[in-house]
Amino acid sequence: MSRLLSKLSPLIHKSSRNIRSFSSSTTGPCVSICTVVEPSPDGNLGQVLLFNIPDMKLVTADKIYPDELYDAQLVGASHGWGLFSDRTNRSALISDYLNPYASKSKPKMIHLPFFTPMYSGQTEVVCNVAMSSPPPDQDDDHEDWVVGIKFLGRQLSLCRPRRDLRWTNILTPFESWEISKLMYSKKDQRFYLLAPGGNYLCSWDLNFKEDKKPKFHELVLHNLPNMPRSLWKQLDSYGREDHWVESPSGESFLVKWFCEYSPENTSNWCKSPIVMVFREEETKDGRKNMRYTDDIGDLCIFISKGEDFCVKASSCPGLQPNSISLHGRLFAILNLTKRTMGCYEYPQGIPKRIPYLPYWLPPFSP
């Protein structure tokens, strides 16, 4: 049996008064706060606001706001690229507009095929987007670049942008709600989708056009945390999210995030979380053996409504190793070594009212 992260501490990140424009140094991981747009005779002027986690500062990047994004809404993020959707005509595109180092006047815009709902599906609500890699340059081979979008319900849509004229729509074997996340494994070259309950994984390889049937993987949990039976029973009444994450070296983790709701306190409607992390040890006969751990080493796991990812703390000075950063029901960091939790606070200098954009963005470099 192992320890469980459940202790609340005063590890609170205070608001920073510092504001910096991006420089030659690496920015991120960060949070997309919003874009402030001002009309101008020379085109709409936009300012991207990002919350840089390593130094807890507000990062601003001035850009021309593209006309293509004027009626679009940010509905997902993967590899630092945003998925923007226009609900009026079901059009969608992928853009590097949120990247502070991208072109100020001409950010990259990659238009995707129009969404086509299946008979028993819908395309109005997007759960999340996952990509096999960042978009390659225009002249490079696009064969291995695949975009996957999981919609609320059972519909999964995959395509190779710049090559496919329409989506390949797949009816998943189970209903997926908002917390059901699609992710791409670079090691396995497969798209993974956790089944409700977090006991099974479904996966599709890059030959999805020829074979739409998923491959099933059972997740067997070992070395469960040492908790009283009453607490295990209490967890059944908590809200829970299951996340499948892959590290830069190819390690796989199952993260279970439990949260008790507090409806009487609307300003803090989700109480301190309980998080369990399971590391994949081996896969045999379709079973993935997952062992509970409170030590993920130099890694930081970032969980949000976008595609989850891992970063080495040593690669981004200021990050806490062996930690998990959450954005969604909570905006907080969990330190697995100290068994503490601290809530992030947005820095000063942002608008009083901002949209709900719970997306972590990975580090950006010039």
Side-chain angles (χ1 to χ4, degrees), residues 90 92 111-118 123 145-149 151 155-170 208-209 212:
R90 291 182 178 175
H111 291 268
L112 303 176
F114 286 92
F115 295 148
T116 53
M118 303 178 71
T123 58
W145 179 43
V146 177
V147 174
I149 297 179
F151 297 97
Q155 181 167 331
L156 167 66
S157 297
L158 302 167
C159 82
R160 288 180 167 85
R162 297 179 177 152
R163 293 174 63 95
D164 295 342
L165 298 178
R166 58 181 59 88
W167 293 91
T168 297
N169 293 329
I170 297 174
F208 52 87
K209 286 187 177 182
K212 296 183 179 181

Side-chain angles (χ1 to χ4, degrees), residues 84-331:
F84 296 85
S85 175
D86 187 338
R87 293 185 179 181
T88 61
N89 58 13
R90 291 182 178 175
S91 64
L93 59 84
I94 291 174
S95 174
D96 65 350
Y97 180 76
L98 298 176
N99 185 339
Y101 301 102
S103 173
K104 291 184 177 181
S105 59
K106 293 183 179 180
K108 294 180 181 179
M109 300 282 177
I110 303 173
H111 291 268
L112 303 176
F114 286 92
F115 295 148
T116 53
M118 303 178 71
Y119 174 74
S120 56
Q122 63 84 35
T123 58
E124 296 295 325
V125 182
V126 173
C127 286
N128 80 303
V129 58
M131 299 194 297
S132 58
S133 68
D137 293 334
Q138 184 73 38
D139 298 331
D140 292 343
D141 183 23
H142 303 133
E143 178 65 26
D144 293 331
W145 179 43
V146 177
V147 174
I149 297 179
K150 184 65 192 69
F151 297 97
L152 191 70
R154 296 184 61 184
Q155 181 167 331
L156 167 66
S157 297
L158 302 167
C159 82
R160 288 180 167 85
R162 297 179 177 152
R163 293 174 63 95
D164 295 342
L165 298 178
R166 58 181 59 88
W167 293 91
T168 297
N169 293 329
I170 297 174
L171 198 64
T172 61
F174 48 80
E175 292 270 350
S176 296
W177 304 107
E178 185 182 3
I179 58 176
S180 182
K181 300 288 292 295
L182 183 71
M183 66 83 65
Y184 180 78
S185 167
K186 184 178 180 180
K187 180 187 70 173
D188 300 333
Q189 295 187 329
R190 304 184 72 87
F191 284 94
Y192 283 110
L193 184 66
L194 276 166
N199 297 319
Y200 289 90
L201 273 174
C202 288
S203 70
W204 294 263
D205 62 21
L206 298 182
N207 296 318
F208 52 87
K209 286 187 177 182
E210 289 73 26
D211 186 7
K212 296 183 179 181
K213 294 182 179 179
K215 183 178 179 181
F216 289 90
H217 315 262
E218 183 181 3
L219 303 180
V220 183
L221 307 184
H222 301 278
N223 193 35
L224 294 175
N226 186 15
M227 295 191 304
R229 184 184 298 271
S230 58
L231 182 54
W232 281 110
K233 194 171 183 179
Q234 187 177 352
L235 290 182
D236 292 337
S237 64
Y238 284 15
R240 192 187 74 210
E241 296 184 16
D242 297 312
H243 298 261
W244 188 258
V245 193
E246 186 174 276
S247 73
S249 63
E251 283 188 294
S252 296
F253 298 93
L254 172 66
V255 180
K256 290 181 174 289
W257 171 11
F258 298 85
C259 244
E260 181 184 6
Y261 294 105
S262 178
E264 70 278 0
N265 186 355
T266 56
S267 62
N268 184 23
W269 58 276
C270 185
K271 295 182 179 180
S272 57
I274 292 178
V275 172
M276 303 180 191
V277 182
F278 296 85
R279 187 197 310 264
E280 181 183 4
E281 290 195 328
E282 63 176 351
T283 298
K284 186 176 181 181
D285 299 328
R287 291 186 175 183
K288 292 182 177 291
N289 290 296
M290 313 296 299
R291 183 168 295 275
Y292 174 81
T293 181
D294 56 8
D295 184 7
I296 58 175
D298 188 41
L299 294 176
C300 307
I301 295 178
F302 289 84
I303 288 177
S304 67
K305 299 300 181 183
E307 187 174 16
D308 304 323
F309 59 88
C310 290
V311 173
K312 288 186 176 181
S314 56
S315 67
C316 299
L319 291 184
Q320 297 184 31
N322 198 32
S323 65
I324 300 177
S325 290
L326 308 172
H327 195 8
R329 297 177 179 177
L330 275 179
F331 188 30

